[in-house]
Amino acid sequence: HRVATLQTEVHMGLLAELEKPTHIEQLGDRKAPIIDIVVGNYYPFGVDSKDFDHGNNIIDQIDVGGPTMGRSGSKGLRAVVLEAKDYPIILDELKQFGEVTLATRWRLAGEFFRTVSSLDANIAQYFEENPPPED
């Protein structure tokens, strides 16, 4: 489960600059798909984590794959959608333009990094305020 989304081809498909022929060639060589949209949410951490059972180890409540895909997608200027409120906007742009506009992808990247930085701050606070587990 911990490494399910940490696949090279997934990140190639999110990071490739599609206007660069060498990137397209590399995608083809690795049979990596072009990924235009990432839709997801993250494991809650902190106050809400008691409602989200990943077992007794709080470390397992640190989401790695989702934020990693979101980082790759945002850096690749793909649409990284975290909130259902954005679904109608995405669907409208896909119907109207055949793609998600750069302005929307840019806004979503900002929202992604704001969200993941808050999540990371909660995780950092946990490590700072709690002793390590017993061996």
Side-chain angles (χ1 to χ4, degrees):
H1 177 82
R2 283 189 174 203
V3 295
T5 56
L6 300 177
Q7 302 297 321
T8 302
E9 290 77 10
V10 169
H11 296 282
M12 288 175 69
L14 290 166
L15 288 164
E17 295 177 67
L18 303 179
E19 68 280 359
K20 292 188 176 180
T22 56
H23 286 207
I24 298 302
E25 183 180 326
Q26 290 170 352
L27 289 173
D29 290 347
R30 293 290 294 263
K31 295 182 177 55
I34 295 170
I35 301 171
D36 293 321
I37 300 173
V38 175
V39 179
N41 49 44
Y42 302 119
Y43 302 160
F45 191 92
V47 175
D48 295 332
S49 64
K50 67 183 178 301
D51 299 325
F52 195 83
D53 185 18
H54 272 293
N56 295 330
N57 188 350
I58 194 158
I59 299 302
D60 286 338
Q61 295 178 9
I62 298 172
D63 192 344
V64 173
T68 302
M69 285 193 299
R71 284 183 178 281
S72 292
S74 292
K75 180 176 179 174
L77 287 176
R78 303 313 199 267
V80 177
V81 187
L82 302 180
E83 301 287 338
K85 69 175 177 53
D86 290 311
Y87 296 171
I89 296 163
I90 300 299
L91 290 173
D92 183 55
E93 289 187 5
L94 288 171
K95 288 177 189 172
Q96 190 173 355
F97 307 114
E99 65 181 9
V100 180
T101 65
L102 177 58
T104 296
R105 290 180 279 139
W106 194 266
R107 176 183 60 79
L108 292 170
E111 290 178 10
F112 164 78
F113 283 110
R114 186 179 317 98
T115 298
V116 81
S117 67
S118 176
L119 178 65
D120 286 344
N122 288 341
I123 294 167
Q125 182 178 355
Y126 174 82
F127 279 100
E128 291 166 356
E129 295 177 355
N130 293 278
E134 299 288 327
D135 283 337

